[in-house]
Amino acid sequence: QVRLVESGGGSVQAGGSLNLSCEVFGLDYRIPCMGWFRQAPGKEREGVAALYTGGSGRTTYYSDSVKGRFTFSDDRTKRMIYLQMNSLKPEDTARYYCALGPCISWSSASDYNYWGQGTQVTVSS
């Protein structure tokens, strides 16, 4: 059974950085997509970044709102997924989730089967 556990959230001032981690238990390497999502109060869950490993390669995706500021990485030897977040803005405030799934569309939450409980990120101005 796959289980995901996020950590690394916290409160920072605008312009600061955080590095989120997601430990993956029971990983099935046939699952091609690993993603980070976020959800702010009153808003839908939004795809932030994802890594697709289907086919013969690895492709990383980012939403336009975080491109150039966030970096997705993974270390399969440690069963870890990371999201390095730099130049944080107040609008980045949300609960962040890691997820695994078949990923027909990397940013669609419905394409992911497994979710962590999330970690809160709060950015003050």
Side-chain angles (χ1 to χ4, degrees):
Q1 183 176 356
V2 179
R3 186 166 64 93
L4 311 178
V5 180
E6 303 95 335
S7 62
S11 297
V12 296
Q13 290 191 327
S17 298
L18 285 172
N19 189 27
L20 304 185
S21 299
C22 174
E23 187 167 8
V24 181
F25 299 91
L27 176 65
D28 183 345
Y29 281 94
R30 293 173 295 177
I31 300 175
C33 231
M34 304 177 180
W36 284 98
F37 285 74
R38 66 186 181 187
Q39 189 166 21
K43 294 188 176 181
E44 292 188 355
R45 195 163 292 191
E46 172 193 15
V48 174
L51 172 68
Y52 178 72
T53 59
S56 60
R58 292 164 56 97
T59 304
T60 307
Y61 300 91
Y62 297 96
S63 67
D64 289 342
S65 61
V66 307
K67 196 172 296 182
R69 300 187 296 122
F70 291 12
T71 303
F72 182 106
S73 63
D74 69 315
D75 185 340
R76 292 201 172 195
T77 63
K78 297 181 180 179
R79 298 179 288 108
M80 297 294 293
I81 304 169
Y82 305 100
L83 185 68
Q84 176 65 43
M85 307 187 297
N86 298 328
S87 302
L88 283 162
K89 305 175 181 179
E91 51 263 44
D92 294 319
T93 295
R95 191 163 187 84
Y96 284 70
Y97 301 85
C98 62
L100 302 179
C103 187
I104 307 301
S105 171
W106 76 267
S107 61
S108 176
S110 62
D111 285 354
Y112 290 78
N113 304 115
Y114 304 103
W115 293 85
Q117 294 299 307
T119 185
Q120 179 66 35
V121 171
T122 303
V123 185
S124 58
S125 57

